[in-house]
Amino acid sequence: MRMITFFVVGLTVHVVFFISIFDIYFTSPLVHGMTPQATPLVPPASRLVLLVADGLRADSFYTLLQNGSSRAPNLRKVIEERGTWGVSHTHVPTETRPGHVALIAGFYEDVSAVAKGWKENPVEFDSVFNESRHSWCWGSPDILPMFSKGASGDHMYTHTYPAGEEDFASTDASRLDTWVFNQVKSFFESAKSNSSLKASLLEDRNVFFLHLLGIDTNGHAHRPMSQEYLDNIALVDTGVAEMVSIIEEFFDNDGRTAYVFTSDHGMTNWGSHGAGHPSETLTPLVAWGAGVNSAHKVTEPQPYDDGYLQEWNLEHIRRVDVNQADIAPLMASLIGVPFPLNSVGVLPLLYLNNSDQFKAESMYTNAVEILEQFKVKMTQKTETTLSFLFTPYQPLTESKQAEMTHKARILIQLEKYGDAISLCQSLISRSLEGLVYYHTYDRFFLGCSVVFGFVGWTSYVVLVILKTHASLDRHPSLLRQTPSHSLARLCMCVTVGITVFLLIQRSPVTYYIYCLLPVPVWYSVLKESGTLTDLIRSAPSLPLWKCFCYFVLVAFGIELLVVSFFHRAMLTVGLASFSLWPFVSGLFGRAKFRSLSWSLGCLCLAAFPLMPVVGREPNIHLVTCAGLLTLFTSACYLWSSRHRTPLHLSDRPQFVTQMLLVAVCAYVPSLTHSSLQQKQGLPLLNQIISWTTLASSLLVPLLSSTRIFHRLLSIFLSLTATYLLLSTGSEALFPPVLSWLMFVWINIEQEALLAQGVSGRQELSTIDFSANIDITKMRQLKLDDIRRSYFFVFFIITAFFGTGNIASINSFDPASVYCFLTVFNPFIMGGLMMWKVIIPFIIVMCTFETIQVATQLSSRSLFLIVLVISDLMALHFFFLVQDYGSWLDIGTSISHYVIVMSMTIFLMLLSVVTHTFTSKRLLLWRRPKMHFP
């Protein structure tokens, strides 16, 4: 198979395996076709006011000041006198969009939806707003359109401020909340003189939604412990009190307004969110007004052992915790609208101040609404599964559904409301478990197909390595081996059988891909069976003991890398072990200085995984130091190599310019940080320098000489300049230290090659990336090449996790992008942060490209070994994916698989890009021919 064909096939196979995880674990749980369910009794409230303080932590809201007063005195008074309070437990990812979907639609949005869009509905879903008669919303342009776009009819009215107002460098982000309060005030003032608007407002089943983003913005910009964040809480409290007064006055204090105050997510101490830390998942919930219980005094200990009741001085008032999705059915029950069709929330009865009959009817409605989803899901699965293969969910068969709903209705008629509520809660519990059962019904079948294909692909790559890149004794009769016709016929029969089976079951198109892909893969494996015969024939001449040792070491090394995804300190252990390699292998006797440099470089790099991932305070001085270190190491190299590889006259201005740019980029973060601290905003000049540096970072190296170390130095200076602009502290030192170690690695690999007795070594300083490689000088693979490939994979993982855990959303500090922009834009910010992750990646890839050239190996041979190691890791993580435990555990296990699979696919693509990056030269003008000594 030609290299380009192999590359395309390999890329396709890995893309399929990558996408499979979303079909297996991340398909949307939403179903459609249910009948809306509403409580038949008169609701206690005619209207609902929902106030969401974006990014408000529970402890920041409930904790008293040192003098015993509250920073939110008005809402504290509501808690103590006329409302019910608790903690709303959010789910990962603790982001704005999923949080609001849970609050207003009652379900936890899956990643398949989050990944498809930020501001609009990627999937259709029902919400409390959609079920209301009218909904008026004020707030962020990132959130409000999400619910209005999918709403049926024209009963939703949104009022948003310009997106540019969401500026982390703003002098006062609390003005976003002030804008909302002023708009609501003006709205009710204008309604007094607008008869049609007033008539709409006086109708029932209305919803008013106030999205307050100031707290979240101040938390990102100044951290949650800052005075700006805490003062914003006080401003919101005052604003809420004013809104309540205005609304009550407008409706003549009719006692028909219900209020719900909560948050979509919390925030870590370092100003980020997205993961499952308690500071992110615990949010306040306060409800009061029509239909809501007043404060309930308690004297006995409450069933919460988290210590917060004492810390917040609220142990004397009943606390009622809920899951975030439970708030949607609560709001629907209060104003009498149908429960959102896709809601999985359970009505928190302790918040309701109503008759037992109303509570029982509401809980029955809640149960039937969730049961409707279960029925649709069960019907879908029944229709697409052969009857003799279908296994129904036994705790809730059709007969049991009818029995439980009928019994609940009889109990309500007999006024046995307590028993009816208990039965409905049991029905809800079974329905939710049944939804999960049918949602994951095909998971085992699809998982087996993917694993079978995975094992087949890895086996095929190993056989290709043995056949084309290893010195095996070839059996003459096997050299002209042709594939057996019976094997081809067997594979065709299997393909037809699988296709017919999937057609009968009316399976989705992707199922055909996952089930049929292993067939050609295993056909290719069986077709190469002659290679196994060659291996067996060559066994007596192979150093079996050495092969076994290498196998054990690589197996241990792969396990070390897998564990490093959970414990970054394992990377430190690995790097410390690497530092001993020259002494164990005997290279120290041949090259003492390079061996010591290697050991010192490994130990310096080993310090980074031990540094905290998140919660680091910005230290701009370290960014400046990183810039100086970059300049110092670059100058040292140019000075030491001035005789061996002198710079051409035309290259000198470029390197001088690049070093000056590094000096500027080392200073820009300091200027930006100072300007933002003084609340003067992001200086325009800093922004221009930052974007110009980023835009030119991939072009400038192409102007330099293609001599190995000249091109690598140009790449290093260009990428480091950008990395400095994206740094806020110690991570800025990572690229210089990594690059130093990579430089030593290139040199010491040459010594290792000599130690193996490989002749014809070319002096490194004379190697040119763009020179045509002499195929006749390419050598076969040796056992030591497995070690080289493993080093590469290890350094790639270190580049990923060396300065943070990219599997955790909250490890990203928004301050990293403040040199480029401060106005909230999730896609640009996310893109810049990903580029920051990729920069060390490119440095390692360029080094590996250099080692392939320097050690006289074809790029394909080493890359195939890397592919096997990466695929073994991916297969390992596939088995570690779990669908039980906490949401964070499930999400983390899936993200690890996605990262490894992305890395494998990215390596394939980046290998092509890196080859271009190192070997191609961009000539802006004609230069005289260069003659190297």
Side-chain angles (χ1 to χ4, degrees), residues 325-606:
D326 299 343
I327 296 174
L330 171 64
M331 295 189 295
S333 174
L334 288 172
I335 58 174
V337 299
F339 286 33
L341 293 175
N342 300 113
S343 171
V344 294
V346 181
L347 182 65
L349 292 177
L350 291 177
Y351 277 84
L352 295 181
N353 178 22
N354 216 312
S355 64
D356 290 341
Q357 181 188 3
F358 183 86
K359 292 178 182 179
E361 287 284 3
S362 296
M363 188 57 74
Y364 178 79
T365 303
N366 194 179
V368 172
E369 173 262 324
I370 296 176
L371 181 62
E372 283 283 317
Q373 296 180 64
F374 172 82
K375 287 179 178 179
V376 171
K377 201 80 171 177
M378 185 179 72
T379 302
Q380 288 177 352
K381 196 52 59 185
T382 306
E383 291 174 350
T384 58
T385 307
L386 295 173
S387 57
F388 65 90
L389 292 176
F390 181 70
T391 307
Y393 179 63
Q394 294 301 327
L396 204 58
T397 57
E398 291 187 6
S399 59
K400 290 180 180 177
Q401 295 171 31
E403 178 189 340
M404 292 183 77
T405 51
H406 178 70
K407 185 177 179 181
R409 175 48 61 195
I410 294 298
L411 287 171
I412 291 173
Q413 291 173 355
L414 294 175
E415 298 185 2
K416 295 182 178 180
Y417 301 124
D419 294 339
I421 289 172
S422 298
L423 183 60
C424 289
Q425 288 172 336
S426 174
L427 180 56
I428 289 173
S429 177
R430 292 190 189 185
S431 298
L432 291 175
E433 290 172 4
L435 277 171
V436 173
Y437 174 81
Y438 285 122
H439 185 59
T440 60
Y441 191 84
D442 293 329
R443 184 170 293 179
F444 179 76
F445 168 67
L446 291 176
C448 288
S449 298
V450 171
V451 169
F452 194 56
F454 228 131
V455 173
W457 167 256
T458 307
S459 303
Y460 177 69
V461 175
V462 171
L463 289 174
V464 169
I465 293 171
L466 292 173
K467 181 181 179 181
T468 60
H469 299 285
S471 303
L472 297 179
D473 293 336
R474 311 290 180 188
H475 194 280
S477 63
L478 295 174
L479 293 175
R480 296 183 299 275
Q481 186 181 29
T482 56
S484 168
H485 292 296
S486 58
L487 177 60
R489 283 194 290 269
L490 175 63
C491 289
M492 284 301 297
C493 291
V494 171
T495 302
V496 171
I498 293 173
T499 305
V500 170
F501 174 74
L502 294 175
L503 276 171
I504 293 172
Q505 294 214 131
R506 288 185 288 177
S507 301
V509 176
T510 50
Y511 283 34
Y512 289 85
I513 298 173
Y514 305 141
C515 296
L516 293 175
L517 183 64
V519 177
V521 170
W522 277 101
Y523 172 74
S524 301
V525 172
L526 296 173
K527 194 173 69 171
E528 299 292 345
S529 58
T531 305
L532 288 176
T533 307
D534 290 340
L535 180 63
I536 294 169
R537 288 173 59 85
S538 304
S541 62
L542 294 174
L544 295 178
W545 179 247
K546 190 176 181 181
C547 290
F548 176 75
C549 290
Y550 261 94
F551 175 78
V552 171
L553 285 174
V554 170
F556 175 77
I558 291 174
E559 288 302 309
L560 183 74
L561 286 175
V562 169
V563 175
S564 72
F565 275 67
F566 302 93
H567 307 286
R568 291 170 61 242
M570 287 296 104
L571 294 175
T572 300
V573 174
L575 287 165
S577 303
F578 284 5
S579 68
L580 302 175
W581 167 56
F583 304 97
V584 175
S585 63
L587 285 175
F588 181 72
R590 298 180 60 93
K592 290 184 172 59
F593 178 73
R594 289 178 178 179
S595 297
L596 290 173
S597 298
W598 166 266
S599 300
L600 185 59
C602 286
L603 293 175
C604 288
L605 196 66

Side-chain angles (χ1 to χ4, degrees), residues 130 272 290 308 377 467 515 587 604 638 642 697 819:
N130 192 45
S272 64
Y308 290 130
K377 201 80 171 177
K467 181 181 179 181
C515 296
L587 285 175
C604 288
L638 292 173
R642 68 189 186 283
S697 60
C819 289

